[in-house]
Amino acid sequence: MTLLLLIVFAGSCFFLIAWGMRKPGRICEFPFLAGATFAGFVLPQAVGLTCGEAPAPAGTDQALVMSILCAVMCYLGYVVSDTPMSALRWEFDNDRLLVVSAVFSAIGAFFFTLINRLPDELVTGGAWTGLPVAYLFFANVFKYGFAIAVLLYANKRSKFALAIILFDCLFQFEWIVVRGRRSYAIEFVLVILCTFWFVRRQTLPRWGMLVVLAAGTVGVSAAGPYRAAVYQDKDYGVNLNYEVPWEEILKVDFIDVFQTYNREDAWEFRNLAYTMHTTDTFDGGLSYWNDFVHVYVPRQVLGSEFKQSLQFDLPGEVTDPDAPWGSTATGMADSFQAFSWLGCLVFFVIAFLMRKLFATAQSGHLAAQLLYMVIIYSAMLAITHDTKFFFMPWVHMAVFLLPCLLWARKPMGA
């Protein structure tokens, strides 16, 4: 049964990828990106655990069934309706948008600089808390500024927008190359790919899609060894000299790392299997409220007791007791903890919203293009990490991005 479920799961992954390769531009659409995420992140771990010498962990069959259901929902939610949203058909004053882009880029760069100057004990060796989290909250507006500048340059060839892009790329280089942060690398690539499609209707050829998919699959598992080669110490401290030791990086056997990661470790799929095997009570979605309070209620300002009083007393994320810090349980696990097998419908909702955004963006409306570009990576994180990673950023956008877009919007009928 396990082997049959694995084949069905692999088939669902490759169906989504094949769907994306049938027509130009689909490389930017959610089903293809979801299929690439399942195939590049979840499937190798599932194969490594089920086809290895050691017996598969308990809950493997349930984990495969949940993964199949979620992959199917990523397709069904996307194709159920392709009607654009009329609410985002806004016209903008380009000069004001340039101001917004410059301000967001400057604010983000300022807070990234503050993060760089924090003591190593605050930013290495564990999950960030306190001051680094507060700084990162404001630093994340950086991606809004970069995406706006790229769109404006693609549309208007603005030299000011190009200057903002070049400024932003300096920080992108640090976090992508020097720090080896795959999240920033993926977001950077997605902004460029989506801009080329929305503005110029240009996209990668099919062979280019396969190359990017293969490189991304190997690169995801090799992020840890890459950082170890860059920092050359066990704590992965900050490289203040911004030097990239290419000799050490070239010594990393990325293929061997990929095989070892998915055959011997595979903690994300182990965690998913453990969750499916041990979870017998479900929170009905209350964990989403707890996540909202955890992210957006500042403990430093309102106090720990007040923050805890707003949260429901729920069991935490269920993961394998032996799992190392930093491993995730995937979005299939947290949605199952919330709604049992109906948790797969969370991915239906995500796919439905992404389809509405994409249809509006493809119609040429900048607001939808911008929102799609800054949220698409979060939709992928809903698969690899936790579904809250898709829903939480909307509050951040409502606080920072929405007021600025309203300010830059032209009056109706102008």
Side-chain angles (χ1 to χ4, degrees):
M1 176 61 75
T2 300
L3 182 58
L4 176 61
L5 290 173
L6 182 63
I7 293 173
V8 174
F9 177 47
S12 63
C13 295
F14 294 124
F15 168 79
L16 293 174
I17 293 174
W19 177 90
M21 297 183 68
R22 286 186 61 192
K23 293 182 179 181
R26 282 186 174 179
I27 187 176
C28 300
E29 298 190 52
F30 179 66
F32 174 83
L33 295 172
T37 305
F38 277 114
F41 186 83
V42 184
L43 181 59
Q45 296 191 33
V47 171
L49 288 181
T50 57
C51 299
E53 296 179 359
T60 295
D61 286 357
Q62 296 98 310
L64 287 170
V65 172
M66 188 64 178
S67 298
I68 293 168
L69 291 174
C70 293
V72 170
M73 291 302 155
C74 287
Y75 174 76
L76 294 180
Y78 198 82
V79 300
V80 69
S81 174
D82 61 355
T83 306
M85 294 184 292
S86 58
L88 293 176
R89 295 175 180 177
W90 296 358
E91 297 293 334
F92 292 97
D93 183 317
N94 290 330
D95 292 335
R96 289 195 173 192
L97 276 181
L98 280 171
V99 173
V100 172
S101 176
V103 170
F104 278 150
S105 296
I107 293 175
F110 173 74
F111 280 97
F112 274 133
T113 303
L114 292 182
I115 292 174
N116 291 342
R117 294 181 177 179
L118 289 172
D120 284 353
E121 59 268 18
L122 291 181
V123 294
T124 60
W128 286 8
T129 59
L131 201 56
V133 175
Y135 286 169
L136 187 61
F137 180 77
F138 293 100
N140 279 333
V141 303
F142 181 88
K143 62 183 178 182
Y144 304 153
F146 176 68
I148 292 172
V150 172
L151 281 171
L152 288 177
Y153 180 73
N155 278 291
K156 303 296 182 182
R157 293 295 191 276
S158 167
K159 293 182 179 179
F160 189 28
L162 179 60
I164 295 173
I165 293 171
L166 295 176
F167 171 81
D168 291 348
C169 283
L170 295 176
F171 287 87
Q172 301 275 17
F173 176 84
E174 178 194 348
W175 285 84
I176 294 172
V177 179
V178 178
R179 293 175 177 264
R181 296 297 177 181
R182 55 197 175 194
S183 59
Y184 293 97
I186 296 172
E187 285 184 312
F188 179 85
V189 171
L190 288 175
V191 167
I192 302 301
L193 289 177
C194 289
T195 299
F196 267 92
W197 178 250
F198 290 146
V199 179
R200 300 185 182 181
R201 289 297 188 268
Q202 295 178 352
T203 187
L204 289 175
R206 288 183 174 88
W207 65 266
M209 298 179 189
L210 295 177
V211 169
V212 171
L213 178 58
T217 299
V218 175
V220 164
S221 58
Y226 175 89
R227 294 171 195 156
V230 171
Y231 298 126
Q232 301 179 42
D233 62 59
K234 63 181 181 180
D235 294 326
Y236 301 159
V238 177
N239 188 335
L240 295 178
N241 295 323
Y242 302 100
E243 297 177 354
V244 181
W246 296 111
E247 292 183 3
E248 295 298 325
I249 293 173
L250 293 175
K251 293 179 182 178
V252 178
D253 188 339
F254 291 97
I255 301 300
D256 180 68
V257 168
F258 170 76
Q259 293 175 342
T260 302
Y261 178 83
N262 293 292
R263 182 177 63 247
E264 299 178 5
D265 297 333
W267 284 111
E268 283 73 21
F269 197 83
R270 291 180 189 271
N271 288 335
L272 173 59
Y274 187 87
T275 299
M276 303 297 297
H277 179 66
T278 58
T279 301
D280 53 8
T281 58
F282 310 98
D283 59 55
L286 295 178
S287 55
Y288 289 90
W289 169 257
N290 282 2
D291 290 334
F292 170 81
V293 173
H294 174 72
V295 173
Y296 291 109
V297 176
R299 173 176 56 83
Q300 296 85 350
V301 177
L302 300 176
S304 299
E305 293 185 2
F306 176 76
K307 184 171 183 175
Q308 292 176 359
S309 69
L310 297 177
Q311 295 178 303
F312 294 97
D313 186 14
L314 302 174
E317 186 179 61
V318 179
T319 58
D320 191 309
D322 298 324
W325 178 88
S327 63
T328 69
T330 75
M332 291 77 78
D334 83 88
S335 59
F336 181 80
Q337 282 186 276
F339 305 109
S340 185
W341 294 103
L342 292 178
C344 66
L345 294 178
V346 174
F347 291 87
F348 182 95
V349 173
I350 293 173
F352 180 81
L353 293 174
M354 295 309 297
R355 176 58 168 173
K356 290 293 187 181
L357 270 181
F358 186 85
T360 312
Q362 195 162 234
S363 300
H365 299 286
L366 188 143
Q369 293 172 353
L370 177 60
L371 290 178
Y372 187 87
M373 288 160 57
V374 299
I375 200 64
I376 183 61
Y377 178 64
S378 299
M380 297 166 67
L381 287 179
I383 299 171
T384 61
H385 287 62
D386 194 305
T387 54
K388 73 179 180 184
F389 281 88
F390 176 78
F391 296 105
M392 292 299 108
W394 291 97
V395 180
H396 191 274
M397 289 189 287
V399 172
F400 291 102
L401 185 57
L402 180 60
C404 295
L405 291 183
L406 290 174
W407 174 74
R409 183 187 181 188
K410 289 182 178 179
M412 294 294 293

